Amino acid sequence: MTSVGKENKSWLPIILAAMTLLTSALLMISHALTAEKIALIKQEKKRASLQRLVPEELIDNDILQSTIDIFEPVQLGHRQTEQLYVGTKNGLLSVLAIPVTARNGYSGDIDLLVGVQVNGQITAVEIIAHKETPGLGDLIERKKSDWLEQFPNTSLNYPEIDRWKVKKDQGHFDQITAATITPRAVVSAIKQALLFHQQFLISNGVI
Amino acid sequence: MSEFIKTRLIDNNAALVQMLGLCPLLAVSNTAINALGMGVATISVVVITNFLVSLIRPITKKEIRIPLFVLLIASVVTTLEMVMNAYFHELYLILGIFIPLIVTNCLIMARAEAYASKNTLWLSVKDGFFVGLGFAIVMFVIGMMREVIGQGTLFSQAHLLFGEWGHTIELTLVENYSGFLLAVLPPGAFFALALLVAIKNKRDIKQKQPS
């Protein structure tokens, strides 16, 4: 019995290594099989978000094809090159869809897309991806609460720029009960997008 | 109800008696629907991991069983998440956020170690299902308690789980309810769980008394 036990022991690392290889292989295979499909779904979601973000009457170009690559890690929180979508009407810039990442959410990044008209007014805000707490922070999602509905038609002039905060911080915007960090992060990210929009217009000679 | 099922659902309930998996139990039970989603996800994972752990019994040696189980459970959960994301995207949007949380559920490890590693495939699958069910039921009840007391609603956002039909079971029990934050926040989960444990203990004492 003891001799068998001893003999078995030398096999233990091999069994463990084999299992590690096997499970790693499983993970690699399932990643390889699903990665493309997942990327496709993400792209599709972005497309749908963009269509909700930019009302059709504002543009007459194919906004999905009209993109500018930007990388603004400091101002817009990007971790990689993101695409800015440019909507035009009669050849004139009418609306920008600006990607912005809030890095100061409760858990992980919150990716947003903010639609801003040329006059500085927000058309709508879309949450692209987040990992906020179910039932609390995730109420920022449109399908879970109407929290996002307070942003359309706001701009840097309304409310005034120093009131671009949640009410708890003497700002203008509603917070979410029991989840302060998430709305705080989202509001400040949207504000950054508006500031970026202003600079973009100035540097491109639109205003 | 057979003894096998009764032990797993009531007498030795994973949440109420063994106090296993309290992290997801307390964290995600703030509404009935969230609790239901997490419950379903937990049942499927524990059934699958129990099956696999039982399957590798011949190569599972005492000294390396824990790392083996950890490897297996982590890979199963990660694979499940990727597959769901790619092929059942609608379902993933609902349950997806819960899936990484399942790894923190020591209920799964406990079943692998205490049962699946010593029993046949079919028994292990059955064990996983009923232990998971017992956990899910407790979670669902806590979810209902917290939602009713905390928000004055029941089954809110059911459409996320059941589609359009879900809107018909979304109930607002109290109009203009101002909310009771304590029930929504984590302490509410502890209170609700404590209440259920107390009821369960009372029942146990009563049963022990000679009639």
Side-chain angles (χ1 to χ4, degrees), chain B residues 174-196:
Chain B
V174 190
E175 291 293 336
N176 299 325
Y177 188 61
S178 58
F180 184 55
L181 202 53
L182 186 68
V184 179
L185 293 176
F190 282 99
F191 285 127
L193 178 69
L195 200 66
L196 291 184

Side-chain angles (χ1 to χ4, degrees), chain B residues 1 3 6-7 10-12 199-211:
Chain B
M1 211 185 322
E3 197 53 36
K6 190 162 168 272
T7 316
I10 305 165
D11 292 340
N12 211 7
I199 294 171
K200 162 84 170 72
N201 286 350
K202 180 135 197 232
R203 169 189 165 277
D204 288 355
I205 293 169
K206 233 182 204 165
Q207 275 192 343
K208 266 183 211 153
Q209 276 168 356
S211 48

Side-chain angles (χ1 to χ4, degrees), chain A residues 76-128:
Chain A
L76 298 180
H78 297 166
R79 293 188 192 273
Q80 60 198 29
T81 306
E82 299 279 350
Q83 287 182 319
L84 169 79
Y85 297 87
V86 184
T88 59
K89 182 147 195 177
N90 302 324
L92 292 172
L93 175 69
S94 60
V95 61
L96 290 180
I98 304 168
V100 51
T101 299
R103 291 191 185 187
N104 49 353
Y106 190 70
S107 54
D109 290 353
I110 307 170
D111 294 330
L112 310 166
L113 204 55
V114 183
V116 192
Q117 293 185 54
V118 73
N119 64 6
Q121 276 191 344
I122 290 178
T123 56
V125 177
E126 283 285 322
I127 308 285
I128 304 295

Side-chain angles (χ1 to χ4, degrees), chain A residues 9 12 15-16 19-20 23 26-27 30-31 33-34 37-38 41 45 134-136 139 143-144 177-178, chain B residues 30 34 59 61 63-64 68 71-72 75 78-79 82 85-87 89 97-98 157 159-160 181 184-185:
Chain A
K9 277 217 169 91
L12 296 182
I15 294 176
L16 206 51
M19 264 318 264
T20 314
T23 48
L26 172 76
L27 286 182
S30 42
H31 177 73
L33 288 178
T34 54
K37 182 115 182 142
I38 292 171
I41 289 169
K45 254 177 98 181
L136 293 173
L139 291 180
K143 62 178 181 193
K144 296 199 173 156
T177 307
Chain B
N30 46 7
N34 270 353
I59 59 159
K61 300 286 175 272
E63 293 85 348
I64 52 162
L68 276 184
L71 263 176
L72 212 59
S75 332
T78 314
T79 308
M82 289 193 281
N85 192 349
Y87 297 100
H89 195 70
I97 31 182
F98 303 132
Q157 296 167 2
H159 62 284
L160 298 182
L181 202 53
V184 179
L185 293 176

